[in-house]
Amino acid sequence: MSDDERRNTVLHRLSAICWLGRTIKNFRGRLSKLESKQQQTLILCKEISAKLDLVLMNQGKLNRTLLPHGKKINKPPNMPSIPLSSIQEFRDFEDFLSNNENFSAMVFYISGYLCKDEEKSARKLLAKLLSNELASQFTYHGATGNRSFKDTHLGEVFESALLTSFKNDLSDAKDAAGKWFRNAPWRKPSDGASESKRASNKGLQR
């Protein structure tokens, strides 16, 4: 092979390498834009989901206001039994609430147990949701090495249900919840879950 042929071969290869480099660069640029759009879409979907949950809760509240005598609160379909009495039942319920429709339906369902007093409503909801035995394994904020209730799906349901009636930072409800969890190991069954079971047997109708 002559020197000219070798030079042309080298130049051809260099040209091919440059072309490949530009192609890769363009591909990376397009991929970066696609990932950015995908992230924006994901954020938008989350925002829409949160707004939809709020709309459903407000719709439920409006229905209860407009139809106070014809309202009957029904359990969400396939909802596990409450109050929960074991960690496994709690985990199963968390799986149930991971579905947005179940989450919204659960908020609507337990909001029917609210009363006019914020602290009393908080205690009433917790007694409906958890047995004293299970509650003793949690604290509201996760202090003292126990599990954090507020960081769970059920904790989010608890606060969302309260927000349908109490438009504030729920500080009174959170304080009441903290005391409720702290007192769980020494509370008699009649002060917690059994009250909820009796209310459940009678049914809710306003």
Side-chain angles (χ1 to χ4, degrees), residues 33-116:
K33 291 181 181 179
L34 180 61
E35 290 176 344
S36 178
K37 289 183 179 180
Q38 185 179 27
Q39 185 65 24
Q40 292 174 2
T41 301
L42 179 61
I43 293 174
L44 181 61
C45 287
K46 289 182 178 180
E47 291 177 350
I48 292 174
S49 177
K51 290 178 180 179
L52 180 59
D53 288 341
L54 182 60
V55 168
L56 291 174
M57 286 186 287
N58 287 336
Q59 182 183 22
K61 185 177 180 180
L62 181 62
N63 289 340
R64 293 193 297 274
T65 302
L66 296 177
L67 302 172
H69 303 294
K71 171 194 63 180
K72 183 176 181 180
I73 300 176
N74 296 315
K75 291 183 179 180
N78 302 317
M79 186 190 87
S81 298
I82 53 176
L84 308 175
S85 58
S86 70
I87 290 297
Q88 186 57 53
E89 288 183 5
F90 189 88
R91 289 171 179 164
D92 292 341
F93 209 90
E94 287 289 282
D95 290 339
F96 173 76
L97 294 176
S98 64
N99 178 285
N100 287 336
E101 292 183 4
N102 292 340
F103 184 97
S104 299
M106 187 64 186
V107 169
F108 174 58
Y109 173 60
I110 66 169
S111 64
Y113 291 89
L114 298 174
C115 59
K116 294 182 179 181

Side-chain angles (χ1 to χ4, degrees), residues 11-22:
L11 291 175
H12 179 73
R13 291 178 178 175
L14 287 174
S15 177
I17 291 173
C18 290
W19 176 84
L20 181 60
R22 289 194 298 270

Side-chain angles (χ1 to χ4, degrees), residues 1-13:
M1 181 181 294
S2 65
D3 291 341
D4 289 340
E5 290 175 336
R6 291 193 184 95
R7 189 183 306 111
N8 290 335
T9 300
V10 171
L11 291 175
H12 179 73
R13 291 178 178 175

Side-chain angles (χ1 to χ4, degrees), residues 68-181:
H69 303 294
K71 171 194 63 180
K72 183 176 181 180
I73 300 176
N74 296 315
K75 291 183 179 180
N78 302 317
M79 186 190 87
S81 298
I82 53 176
L84 308 175
S85 58
S86 70
I87 290 297
Q88 186 57 53
E89 288 183 5
F90 189 88
R91 289 171 179 164
D92 292 341
F93 209 90
E94 287 289 282
D95 290 339
F96 173 76
L97 294 176
S98 64
N99 178 285
N100 287 336
E101 292 183 4
N102 292 340
F103 184 97
S104 299
M106 187 64 186
V107 169
F108 174 58
Y109 173 60
I110 66 169
S111 64
Y113 291 89
L114 298 174
C115 59
K116 294 182 179 181
D117 182 85
E118 183 177 325
E119 293 185 21
K120 186 176 180 181
S121 292
R123 292 191 293 268
K124 193 173 182 181
L125 292 188
L126 291 171
K128 176 68 179 174
L129 296 172
L130 304 172
S131 69
N132 292 325
E133 181 180 2
L134 180 57
S136 65
Q137 301 182 54
F138 288 83
T139 58
Y140 189 71
H141 295 285
T144 66
N146 283 10
R147 296 174 173 86
S148 170
F149 179 75
K150 75 177 183 65
D151 294 327
T152 64
H153 291 316
L154 192 55
E156 293 177 10
V157 165
F158 168 73
E159 291 191 5
S160 297
L162 289 167
L163 285 172
T164 62
S165 290
F166 306 103
K167 306 300 182 181
N168 54 50
D169 60 359
L170 301 180
S171 57
D172 291 341
K174 293 175 182 178
D175 287 343
K179 294 176 183 177
W180 189 87
F181 279 104

Side-chain angles (χ1 to χ4, degrees), residues 182-195:
R182 286 195 298 272
N183 293 330
W186 302 280
R187 189 166 46 240
K188 295 179 180 179
S190 59
D191 296 329
S194 63
E195 270 186 9

